[in-house]
Amino acid sequence: MTVVILSGGIDLSVGALVALGGVVAAMLAGQGSFVAIVGGIASTTLLGVVNGLLVSRARLQPFVVTLFTASAARGLALSITEERSIAVPSAASGLVWLGRGFIGFIPVPVLIVALLYFATWFMLHRSRLGLHTFAIGNNEEASRLMGVNPNRVKLLVYTFSGLLSGLAGVVLAGRLGAGQPVAAFGWETDAIAATVMGGTFLAGGQGSVFPTLAGVILLGMMYNLLNLEGTITPWWQLVLRGGFLLLVVLFQQRIVQRN
């Protein structure tokens, strides 16, 4: 989500893509872990490419495009599973290892997250694609005049978002032992909130991934405290999440206006 917002876009489909990636992986798990993992990631990467093409080539608004993709992906996940969870067979040990395994004393999902954060930071700050992402987020027309191809950057950014969503879905399916079509409901809101809390401007062009990690941790701590308190129902927690995101955006807007 951070990379997409830095480019001046938004991706409301990430939660639904997580669910679809997990479901596809679980359904393919009987053919082996490798097929399941590749299939789950490939399915959402393809939809990421669709998002990128519609935003870059058809010049549709990212909000509308990714909202459509979110609805389509969630509906597809519910349809192919007949609204049921798909159990991951024990024979798919590689898939289960991604969600529950350890390397030494460190959980595999933690290592995956750490590697992805470092890789994404390197891509943003040490590669041409990263520089171009910041450039089109700041001023797309100026970057085009400087020789940047905004359409190519947008296509790669949304493809990257789809790929990581699928990977998250595969890891989640391995951890839960099942692909659930209703999984990751509302995760796109949490992703946006964590990104904005980390200082990435919704208008694009300014931010980084490690501050987003701080936003993820703070958001997780807040949600855990609400659950431990036990006095606020899950439904009111959704209201608080939305209100909190609105406050963060308003605060960010005030900072932009002052600058």
Side-chain angles (χ1 to χ4, degrees):
M1 187 64 75
T2 300
V3 176
V4 173
I5 291 178
L6 283 173
S7 72
I10 198 76
D11 191 348
L12 302 180
S13 66
V14 292
L17 292 184
V18 169
L20 180 62
V23 163
V24 172
M27 295 182 74
L28 295 175
Q31 301 179 38
S33 296
F34 179 78
V35 173
I37 294 169
V38 171
I41 295 174
S43 63
T44 59
T45 302
L46 179 60
L47 289 176
V49 172
V50 172
N51 281 338
L53 289 174
L54 290 176
V55 170
S56 62
R57 302 296 180 180
R59 300 189 181 281
L60 299 177
Q61 290 295 320
F63 179 90
V64 176
V65 170
T66 57
L67 187 61
F68 158 75
T69 307
S71 178
R74 185 71 69 177
L76 182 59
L78 289 166
S79 176
I80 62 178
T81 61
E82 298 180 350
E83 303 180 21
R84 296 181 289 108
S85 295
I86 305 297
V88 175
S90 56
S93 57
L95 177 58
V96 175
W97 180 80
L98 279 183
R100 305 181 192 175
F102 285 82
I103 295 180
F105 61 91
I106 304 176
V108 171
V110 173
L111 288 174
I112 292 174
V113 168
L115 289 172
L116 286 174
Y117 267 98
F118 276 106
T120 306
W121 176 88
F122 185 86
M123 183 271 290
L124 284 174
H125 299 281
R126 295 292 185 271
S127 75
R128 181 176 299 179
L129 174 60
L131 294 176
H132 290 178
T133 300
F134 281 103
I136 68 170
N138 274 306
N139 191 317
E140 182 175 335
E141 185 59 30
S143 65
R144 181 182 286 107
L145 294 174
M146 294 173 62
V148 176
N149 185 343
N151 289 340
R152 176 178 174 273
V153 175
K154 291 177 183 179
L155 176 59
L156 292 174
V157 162
Y158 283 97
T159 301
F160 182 68
S161 178
L163 186 151
L164 291 191
S165 297
L167 177 58
V170 168
V171 172
L172 184 64
R175 185 164 186 80
L176 298 178
Q180 299 184 347
V182 296
F185 179 78
W187 280 20
E188 58 278 355
T189 305
D190 293 341
I192 295 170
T195 299
V196 174
M197 284 180 64
T200 299
F201 284 4
L202 276 175
Q206 182 172 333
S208 187
V209 292
F210 284 115
T212 296
L213 179 59
V216 170
I217 294 171
L218 289 173
L219 206 62
M221 291 174 61
M222 184 184 74
Y223 292 165
N224 284 338
L225 286 173
L226 290 175
N227 289 327
L228 291 172
E229 182 67 24
T231 57
I232 302 177
T233 66
W235 315 123
W236 277 106
Q237 287 184 29
L238 292 174
V239 176
L240 290 176
R241 290 183 182 189
F244 180 73
L245 175 58
L246 179 61
L247 288 174
V248 172
V249 172
L250 288 173
F251 178 72
Q252 188 184 90
Q253 185 66 28
R254 292 291 297 273
I255 293 176
V256 173
Q257 290 174 351
R258 288 180 181 178
N259 293 336

